[in-house]
Amino acid sequence: AQSVSQHNHHVILSEAASLELGCNYSYGGTVNLFWYVQYPGQHLQLLLKYFSGDPLVKGIKGFEAEFIKSKFSFNLRKPSVQWSDTAEYFCAVIGNSGYSTLTFGKGTMLLVSP
Amino acid sequence: DAMVIQNPRYQVTQFGKPVTLSCSQTLNHNVMYWYQQKSSQAPKLLFHYYDKDFNNEADTPDNFQSRRPNTSFCFLDIRSPGLGDAAMYLCATSRDWASGLYEQYFGPGTRLTVT
């Protein structure tokens, strides 16, 4: 069975600090990978996704993530966070062949202080 | 804007009293999903519809049922809610299934409280 592990449940940063949120997955096959974000009081929305090709993917609002196949990782990064990045971040994985469903990590709550 | 709408946003029901949660979409997507998310946990897929075809996850309790009368609407019925069913219920859609190639769009969720 596939699983997703997010390393930190809560992260607190000051504005302008750099961000890296860890995500590791377990799956016996080729995967598609996603980061979703949920701002306070809002719905889950897609931040970025990896299907194939360049393992460094860029998403909205200056976020990027790097897929490292050998480490089964898909860490999310941003060089300089803003107060408006305060949100919960979910990593998710789905197999890209056969029947597979989207499996989420437990999420990381990011609090950015001004 | 095209979107996924869930009603109500907050629902309180009594132990054992049937409850229905509603989801509608203006995206004209083929696939609709229902997820359960408990506090500090990952969203967990309960079932999905591909068009009119219903797909139940193996570990979804029989207490949970779903209906999709047309492309736009999907309902989650909890026949006899228990205290353990208190959670956020998320509806999502995707244009097609095709092994995860299509992004899922989420609604704002319905927070269910069972008293």
Side-chain angles (χ1 to χ4, degrees):
Chain A
Q2 60 199 53
S3 65
V4 179
S5 174
Q6 291 184 238
H7 305 164
N8 305 99
H9 196 53
H10 291 93
V11 172
I12 302 173
L13 294 173
S14 299
E15 273 194 316
S18 64
L19 169 72
E20 182 160 2
L21 300 183
C23 173
N24 286 90
Y25 69 92
S26 172
Y27 185 76
T30 312
V31 296
N32 298 326
L33 296 152
F34 305 82
W35 275 96
Y36 280 86
V37 60
Q38 188 168 25
Y39 298 103
Q42 296 189 26
H43 59 278
L44 275 167
Q45 52 188 290
L46 185 68
L47 201 54
L48 48 78
K49 60 189 177 186
Y50 172 80
F51 287 166
S52 63
D54 189 343
L56 184 63
V57 293
K58 296 191 183 299
I60 60 172
K61 304 187 180 186
F63 286 91
E64 65 179 29
E66 185 175 12
F67 171 49
I68 303 180
K69 189 175 181 180
S70 61
K71 294 185 177 180
F72 299 91
S73 70
F74 190 54
N75 291 355
L76 181 70
R77 299 195 291 250
K78 186 172 183 178
S80 176
V81 295
Q82 299 173 314
W83 176 79
S84 58
D85 293 324
T86 293
E88 190 155 22
Y89 293 81
F90 292 90
C91 181
V93 63
I94 188 169
N96 72 359
S97 63
Y99 179 80
S100 181
T101 58
L102 194 62
T103 298
F104 286 87
K106 289 187 177 182
T108 298
M109 184 66 219
L110 171 66
L111 177 62
V112 180
S113 58
Chain B
D1 288 341
M3 59 177 61
V4 182
I5 303 159
Q6 291 188 244
N7 286 305
R9 294 290 305 274
Y10 300 90
Q11 175 73 58
V12 180
T13 191
Q14 293 177 334
F15 183 94
K17 184 174 182 182
V19 66
T20 295
L21 309 182
S22 166
C23 177
S24 64
Q25 52 129 342
T26 60
L27 298 159
N28 202 33
H29 282 175
N30 286 328
V31 192
M32 295 188 77
Y33 310 80
W34 280 103
Y35 289 85
Q36 179 192 63
Q37 186 181 18
K38 295 187 176 180
S39 181
S40 300
Q41 295 187 23
K44 178 179 177 298
L45 182 65
L46 295 173
F47 25 60
H48 75 271
Y49 272 94
Y50 182 92
D51 195 11
K52 295 181 180 179
D53 293 333
F54 177 70
N55 296 272
N56 199 29
E57 291 302 296
D59 56 355
T60 298
D62 292 340
N63 198 25
F64 291 85
Q65 305 284 320
S66 186
R67 296 170 283 134
R68 189 179 185 187
N70 54 53
T71 301
S72 301
F73 284 87
C74 195
F75 300 98
L76 170 62
D77 300 309
I78 308 176
R79 292 192 297 187
S80 182
L83 297 178
D85 296 328
M88 178 74 84
Y89 290 89
L90 302 172
C91 176
T93 73
S94 65
R95 184 157 61 93
D96 211 313
W97 179 255
S99 300
L101 286 178
Y102 298 97
E103 171 190 348
Q104 292 187 24
Y105 294 78
F106 284 82
T110 295
R111 183 165 296 284
L112 178 68
T113 301
V114 182
T115 60

